[in-house]
Amino acid sequence: WMGPITEATAAMLACDSTISFITLDGQQVPIDMSPPKRLFSGLVRKAIIVRDECCIKCGAPAGWSDCHHIVYWSNGGTTTVGNGCLLCRTCHRAVHYTEWEIEMGSDGHPWLIPPADVDPRRRPLPAYNRRTMTLAA
């Protein structure tokens, strides 16, 4: 009942939503429901916290950070250590609403790709807890 929303708002809502599948029998009676697996919880979240230690963009404490799907859940991204990283709420919004991108490096750690207005060459930056390292490290 709020009227049209922007594409960016729809994408952010999709990031924070879940999809459940309900199996119906021939009489349209629910017989099974799949649990959503969008949220990073348990051991997967703990492993991401051990790897990232803090928000990968600004260094905010892990306790202030959410696990973000690098390949968005709404685009088929999986809820796995290899597709997750820690972002505080402010940086999470920046990734969704600006041209910041994240990719998982061959080293198994997330790398930030800044927008062209920050770095015209869009050179990858290591996660905050690894800023003294280089791509060769």
Side-chain angles (χ1 to χ4, degrees), residues 120-134:
R121 293 176 44 202
R122 301 198 73 201
R123 291 172 289 207
L125 298 168
Y128 187 88
N129 67 323
R130 304 178 79 235
R131 292 281 160 86
T132 58
M133 305 180 96
T134 65

Side-chain angles (χ1 to χ4, degrees), residues 11 13 15 26 38 47 50 56 58-60 72 76 80 93 112:
L13 290 171
C15 178
R38 181 188 65 82
V50 167
I56 66 164
C58 75
Y72 296 163
T80 60
R93 282 191 300 276
L112 293 144

Side-chain angles (χ1 to χ4, degrees), residues 17-35:
S17 65
T18 61
I19 297 173
S20 297
F21 296 95
I22 299 174
T23 305
L24 306 174
D25 69 10
Q27 307 302 315
Q28 299 298 306
V29 176
I31 57 173
D32 190 25
M33 183 172 167
S34 68

Side-chain angles (χ1 to χ4, degrees), residues 3-113:
I5 59 174
T6 66
E7 186 177 333
T9 300
M12 187 67 170
L13 290 171
C15 178
D16 292 336
S17 65
T18 61
I19 297 173
S20 297
F21 296 95
I22 299 174
T23 305
L24 306 174
D25 69 10
Q27 307 302 315
Q28 299 298 306
V29 176
I31 57 173
D32 190 25
M33 183 172 167
S34 68
K37 295 182 176 124
R38 181 188 65 82
L39 298 177
F40 290 91
S41 59
L43 296 176
V44 175
R45 180 171 170 75
K46 287 178 185 176
I48 291 171
I49 290 171
V50 167
R51 183 195 63 213
D52 295 351
E53 299 175 7
C54 57
C55 172
I56 66 164
K57 190 170 179 290
C58 75
W64 297 359
S65 301
D66 299 322
C67 286
H68 166 75
H69 287 87
I70 295 170
V71 174
Y72 296 163
W73 170 259
S74 59
N75 292 341
T78 57
T79 304
T80 60
V81 174
N83 190 45
C85 65
L86 290 179
L87 289 173
C88 71
R89 296 284 167 96
T90 301
C91 293
H92 201 168
R93 282 191 300 276
V95 167
H96 280 279
Y97 291 109
T98 65
E99 295 179 11
W100 282 93
E101 296 176 20
I102 302 169
E103 64 181 34
M104 188 57 71
S106 59
D107 59 358
H109 292 272
W111 288 74
L112 293 144
I113 312 297

